[in-house]
Amino acid sequence: MMSPIDKFILGFVSPFKGLRLIFSSKKKFMLSIFPFLFGIVIFAGGFFWAFNYMGGAVDGWLRQFEIMSGALFTVASFFMALFSWVAFFTVAFLASYVVMSIFGGPFYSMLAEDVFKTNSISGPKGGTFRLIFTMLFLSIIKISIFVMVGLACFIMSFIPILNIFSTYLIFLVVAFDCSDYSFEIDYLSLRQRFSFIFKHFWEYSGMTLSIMCTSLIPGSFFLLLPAFICGATEMYIQLENK
């Protein structure tokens, strides 16, 4: 019986195991090349946007508080700037993830399927093309879900305490979504997927922290997204075998 700490660590190190899987297989490595190159574009674009546009947008928004007295403005501007950066970063992260899911979806599907072939006793169910088209269709549907989650978290980002929860919620949703390829391969229903996620909450909390740590450098998470997909798939197989 694993303790909550052991489960948390299992989820936290899952992307590192996924990275090991990628470099241990020529096929997985080849499937990771396009998502990696596309991740470089997101990585470079994230830095360019953050330093050239986001800073100006935050400064412009803060100017409306200049009517306050000196000391009060200094304190208020610090916290408002902090909340603004968190809010804009969260929305940008979610938007980038949606784009990566759509364009890299076919490759992520084949990566998850290949992990099933090499690590699962029963192997994947169904065919590759069914999986690719299903995940591409689901990625388009997810856009509306992510938009609603993103708007709610954007509003909460300006409220103390809730802003921490909203940021964590975004990364938690992404951690769950990294396993969606595994769920689809194993033909899990929506109810079964939620049941699995709640049953293994500590593992996914660990993966969430791993995503948060990786995302401290804008765009870096998207460079490692193939590793997160492979790691989430291997973790799902390991938990199901247990």
Side-chain angles (χ1 to χ4, degrees):
M1 185 77 176
M2 296 178 66
S3 67
I5 295 178
D6 292 331
K7 294 178 180 179
F8 187 89
I9 294 174
L10 175 64
F12 184 81
V13 301
S14 61
F16 301 101
K17 293 182 178 180
L19 196 62
R20 182 199 62 199
L21 285 174
I22 289 175
F23 284 104
S24 65
S25 168
K26 183 178 180 180
K27 183 178 181 181
K28 292 182 182 67
F29 180 78
M30 294 301 293
L31 288 172
S32 301
I33 289 179
F34 175 79
F36 176 76
L37 294 176
F38 195 66
I40 292 178
V41 175
I42 298 293
F43 178 80
F47 263 104
F48 178 80
W49 178 78
F51 287 104
N52 290 277
Y53 294 99
M54 187 172 168
V58 173
D59 290 338
W61 185 74
L62 289 175
R63 287 195 186 99
Q64 62 183 316
F65 299 99
E66 289 181 347
I67 57 174
M68 298 180 180
S69 60
L72 183 60
F73 174 72
T74 301
V75 175
S77 61
F78 171 78
F79 286 102
M80 294 308 295
L82 179 63
F83 296 155
S84 300
W85 276 95
V86 171
F88 283 114
F89 171 77
T90 302
V91 172
F93 175 86
L94 195 58
S96 300
Y97 181 75
V98 170
V99 174
M100 286 291 294
S101 296
I102 294 175
F103 288 96
F107 297 93
Y108 299 142
S109 301
M110 289 186 284
L111 270 172
E113 185 182 45
D114 194 62
V115 174
F116 259 83
K117 289 179 180 178
T118 56
N119 290 57
S120 177
I121 299 174
S122 58
K125 304 173 183 177
T128 302
F129 289 105
R130 181 206 68 84
L131 177 64
I132 290 176
F133 284 112
T134 301
M135 293 310 299
L136 183 60
F137 177 72
L138 289 176
S139 295
I140 296 174
I141 293 178
K142 289 174 190 174
I143 293 177
S144 58
I145 299 174
F146 282 133
V147 166
M148 290 186 292
V149 173
L151 287 174
C153 291
F154 181 79
I155 295 172
M156 287 192 293
S157 295
F158 293 97
I159 304 173
I161 300 178
L162 284 181
N163 58 347
I164 300 175
F165 172 76
S166 65
T167 304
Y168 178 79
L169 180 62
I170 287 289
F171 290 115
L172 186 62
V173 169
V174 172
F176 291 165
D177 194 62
C178 286
S179 288
D180 213 30
Y181 300 91
S182 309
F183 299 153
E184 190 60 37
I185 290 173
D186 233 12
Y187 286 91
L188 265 63
S189 65
L190 187 62
R191 182 179 180 181
Q192 289 174 317
R193 298 180 193 199
F194 278 110
S195 176
F196 181 85
I197 287 170
F198 287 121
K199 181 180 179 181
H200 300 288
F201 175 78
W202 287 109
E203 287 88 339
Y204 282 99
S205 294
M207 186 184 292
T208 300
L209 180 61
S210 187
I211 295 174
M212 294 178 70
C213 292
T214 308
S215 302
L216 291 176
I217 301 176
S220 59
F221 166 73
F222 303 107
L223 293 174
L224 297 172
L225 188 51
F228 276 91
I229 300 294
C230 289
T233 304
E234 184 189 44
M235 185 175 73
Y236 169 77
I237 294 170
Q238 180 180 347
L239 294 174
E240 280 295 277
N241 287 342
K242 285 186 177 180

